[in-house]
Amino acid sequence: MNGLLNYVSCGVLWLGLVVKSPDLVRHRSDPYLRAICAVLGLAGVCFLLGAEPTVAAVNDLSGIPNLAAPLTYASITAYSAASQVLIVYWRGGPHVHRTTRRWMVAYAFVLLGIAVTFALGDAPVERRTDLDTYYATTPFIAEMIVLYLAGHLVAAGVTTVSSLRWARQVRGRLRAGLVVLGVGALCNAGYSISKLAAVVARWCGSDWSGLSTTVSPVAAGLAALLTVTGVLIPLVGSRTTQWRRARRDFVRLEPLERELDEFLTRRALRLPRPRWSSPTTRLVWRQTSIHNALGSLDAFFDPDLYERTLEAAAQEVRDPERAEATAWAAVIAAAVVEQRDRDSPLVPPDGTGRFQNRAPASGALVSIAAALAASPLVAAARADAGTTRTGTA
């Protein structure tokens, strides 16, 4: 069980990184996305390096007792720097790049200080879980411990205040994500405070090592869970809303695709149906099939029928958009009937009597599908086209 909490926390954070990675690939130049991914990735590294089995492996492979300690502290410092950069980009403003450079330079000095103090100090006895309290009074090693904890506490404090303050100014999923992230940063502060309390107690001759070995890991693990949750809430919420809308539109377009099904099959215009795909992908597949059919049917579209149906629908529904959708639905239904036994329109598309470079707008397809399923004007147009085709056959 040793290190299990660390590895689970690392996995949770890196899972969040995996979820965000596609956005980073699409928007490589977005500094905000880079900062989010850096926070998630480095936080996972902190837990990975801080796990007792990893500590033992690093020390054994390097042959240097307690080398894992400065490596872990360096990763925590880098994570703290990434957190500050993320907060700066969140805030925005005219001096974003200057402020981020200052934070990065400041934490670079902290990293340098960790390396120098470890090199100057003497820590010959390997301590896998309680190095902070065991060497709290050792020259230079104590300074290294205080340095990384102070840097981490500053980052956690600034993140907590900034997240919760911004959450008061926004609403919805962003607010929820900021509140959760702020609470996670507060737990991160609890990690630093419990460690510092144990170190100070050691300076005073007391033994509070339980704070460092028991309380702080729990606080860090909870902080990891809350951090990744806070980062993902806006993303997952937005994606869930997008998928719900795509699923709804996919279902609503079914009557229009069904109307065009025979034509799509006969002309081999339908793309292979995607399997195990997202609702957005399935919606795009259905829309593409419909557009393929309409593009091939345009020569059969009857502008006179369109105008007559538009006028009748406008009087019936008193809604210009619904009236236009009904007119298009009538034209499409009639065109499907007209082309059924023909490879060319009844009237050649020579510039007279037919539409010229007109097609229903993509945004109107759902309304057209609804009209196909329910409008008596569309049913009448379909019946009239069938009668005309029978009379001319």
Side-chain angles (χ1 to χ4, degrees), residues 47-102:
F47 282 104
L48 178 65
L49 292 177
E52 186 177 344
T54 307
V55 170
V58 170
N59 293 338
D60 292 342
L61 291 173
S62 66
I64 302 175
N66 300 308
L67 177 63
L71 294 179
T72 303
Y73 299 163
S75 66
I76 292 174
T77 301
Y79 161 76
S80 301
S83 298
Q84 295 312 299
V85 171
L86 175 60
I87 291 300
V88 170
Y89 281 121
W90 259 356
R91 287 175 174 172
H95 306 298
V96 169
H97 297 296
R98 182 191 306 172
T99 305
T100 56
R101 282 195 297 269
R102 288 176 178 175

Side-chain angles (χ1 to χ4, degrees), residues 254-330:
E254 195 275 336
L256 179 53
E257 186 192 16
R258 186 172 62 246
E259 186 78 25
L260 299 169
D261 180 69
E262 180 193 7
F263 182 70
L264 284 165
T265 302
R266 185 156 54 86
R267 296 290 184 91
L269 295 172
R270 192 193 303 279
L271 298 176
R273 186 184 182 95
R275 299 184 182 278
W276 307 105
S277 55
S278 69
T280 303
T281 301
R282 292 197 297 272
L283 174 62
V284 171
W285 168 79
R286 178 161 280 180
Q287 288 174 330
T288 301
S289 297
I290 291 171
H291 282 300
N292 287 345
L294 296 182
S296 296
L297 272 176
D298 61 353
F300 295 90
F301 291 164
D302 186 344
D304 293 332
L305 173 61
Y306 177 88
E307 296 299 335
R308 292 196 307 272
T309 309
L310 180 62
E311 182 179 353
Q315 295 176 358
E316 180 180 310
V317 300
R318 302 295 181 182
D319 183 337
E321 292 185 0
R322 286 181 58 192
E324 185 175 1
T326 302
W328 271 119

Side-chain angles (χ1 to χ4, degrees), residues 112-197:
L112 180 62
I114 290 172
V116 171
T117 51
F118 181 76
L120 295 175
D122 184 22
V125 180
E126 182 185 37
R127 308 301 298 185
R128 297 181 181 179
T129 59
D130 63 347
L131 184 141
D132 296 327
T133 51
Y134 187 87
Y135 287 107
T137 57
T138 303
F140 296 109
I141 301 299
E143 283 76 4
M144 176 186 71
I145 294 168
V146 172
L147 186 62
Y148 99 84
L149 286 175
H152 183 264
L153 182 58
V154 168
V158 172
T159 303
T160 300
V161 173
S162 300
S163 299
L164 296 180
R165 180 180 296 170
W166 190 20
R168 296 165 58 186
Q169 304 172 11
V170 295
R171 293 291 183 270
R173 290 183 296 269
L174 179 57
R175 182 177 189 176
L178 286 169
V179 170
V180 173
L181 183 62
V183 175
L186 187 61
C187 291
N188 253 332
Y191 166 87
S192 300
I193 291 171
S194 60
K195 289 271 189 181
L196 283 170

